[in-house]
Amino acid sequence: MNKVIPCVLMRAGTSRGPFFLREWLPEGDEARDQALIGAIGASDPLQLDGVGGGSTLNSKVAIVSRSTQPGCDLDYLFAQVGVGHHSVDTRPNCGNMLSGVAPFAIEQGLIPARDGTTSVRVYNVNTGSRIDVTVRTPGGRVTYEGDARIDGVAGTAAPILLNFLDAWGAVTGSVFPTGRRIDIIDGVEVTCIDAAMPLMIVRAADLGLTGREKPAVLDANTALLERLEVLRLQAGRMMGLGDVSNSVIPKPVLVSPGDSPNSVTSRYFTPRRCHASHAVTGAIGVASAFALPGTVASAIAREPGRHALVVLHPAGQIDVEVELKGSGEDATVERAALVRTARKIMQGELHLPGYVFSRPEVTGKVSSAFPRKAVTIIVPTRAGGGNDLMARIIAAKLSPLLGREVLVDNRAGANGAIASEYVAHAEPDGHTVLFGYVGTHAMSPAVQKVGYDPVTDFAPIGLVGSSPTLMVSHPDKAPADVATLIANLKDSPRRFGYASAGDGTPPHFAAELFQLSTDTAMASATYEGAAPAISDTVAGRAQIMFPSLFTAHPFIRAGQLRALAVTGAKRLADLPGVPTLEELGVTGVDVAQWYGLFAPAGTPGEVIDKLNRLLNEVLADPDVIERFQSHGAQVEPGTPDALSTKVKAELARWSNVVKQARLAPSESRLATLD
């Protein structure tokens, strides 16, 4: 595969990203997506190794070709590339990137330019909708210079008119795909609308907000983000989009009154962060909901015809002209138009990184020289949690045995997927290994789609140890025993909240299984790892958690947490007075945590054998055994084959649990903490 491809980098509307002709990219969707992942630098949350900007706003791609559709000039395929994880989503459209399609195509010779202005009909491949785009072309050449100003972009530029012709219901087949203009999800009124972009619109006031908060304030409100995601997942199912946990649609939107009868204030999420300004397609959807009667965004009754509406956003406003047909409940949107600008930033060759298309080959006798440099243990959670502490204990003992520095690198995020994908695509020479655990290699892959294969993408080095899972509570803000807790939850669902270390992690699974077994419902708050989750439980912001004994032991000894029960089959020697959940009549919550070291698949056998031998030597060290035991964990030395067998068995077990219990990420029946 060619790893040097032509590329034009453009600012389009309030987004930025590379533009490609379809012929510049490799054939086939899989190869194409791998090229886009490499181009953006998706593996790194900061996207330092590509042209992305560390944000969904700057991780967008436009792919352009001559149209195969009757009456259309260009085909435009939009791709949203992941930030910190390998993913490419081609389900949504992006109106901001759309504004760069016609100028790009004219300059690449796909469309002849007329003197003055050139109009192009674009077919959006993602949604099957058509958009007329008009650009300035004085003298038959594209100009980016002009006097049009859009909020969120410095300076002025040539205006680009976008006229959306048939974007209503383009993704789901209906403007209101649930059949209603207002639905109620978990007690909250929402409007599910498919108008240029599938949206889930909520009144800001219904969530205790003014709707004029700055994006940074909303992004810092973890309870709000969790609540919106819970609502969004349910809305996605109701809109016929299925499981949207790994998709960016539908987009959540908070609306509130504007400054005039013809304006509405909007806070648009992408979907897990508030947009610094606003998406064009999102503005079309919000304006449509604002213009039509019977939605959560509806304003004054409007007559048929054209209406100049304003969508107010954090960086200013977007003016949208909406044309209505009919009135009352029969009113429909015929078209919507707005102005954007674009600018070509640079044009040239883009060099894709080495991991694109194939795993790097190990050349020469790498294994005989191992280690040639420092070895890095990638930890999939934040510093301060049980995984992190175990990894650091091992690193300190392994370093003198290897004769090289052993570093610990915390790469939290996406419930372990960022770290796992990073190691899966690292050079398979033994210098980069993963401190994996039951979450990364069994639970998370069982409950949601991940960008790595826990079996085929890794070479197991060896088990590290295991730790039972406890049910703990805040000593002052939750009942002192499980029976009382269950009774209180029966009387008042969601009265207490649990802290989750992320979807597909042991604390999440244990909490979900506990609720299913007891037919109760707790509120939930999700964190990027066990360390912040248990910290909030100690602080009382969450009242219940299901951490490993390794993570919880110091807080139990200090009296900051109360151990309510053990999730395993037997009581623990260190906590003989703590019953098991089974003893208390709660069955099916047998969650134990195990940990292991993994190298990328393809790592030479000699390197794996050496690392396994030295790891087992570390685990036999009395100091390591004592430190593990002091935190409630047991060392478990073993062979690579033993770890391989455990991964396959655990993956099968938790996949079966997910199927039988019908678990899903961020179950819609959960509410967030107050």
Side-chain angles (χ1 to χ4, degrees), residues 399-422:
S399 180
L401 297 179
L402 280 171
R404 294 280 184 174
E405 188 176 12
V406 178
L407 307 173
V408 173
D409 183 358
N410 298 85
R411 294 191 175 231
N415 307 320
I418 289 176
S420 300
E421 288 183 20
Y422 179 82

Side-chain angles (χ1 to χ4, degrees), residues 184-188 227 230-231 234 494 667-671:
I184 299 178
I185 303 176
D186 281 354
V188 178
R227 186 76 184 277
V230 166
L231 296 174
Q234 180 65 11
R494 302 184 181 90
E667 285 283 357
S668 61
R669 63 184 177 81
L670 298 178

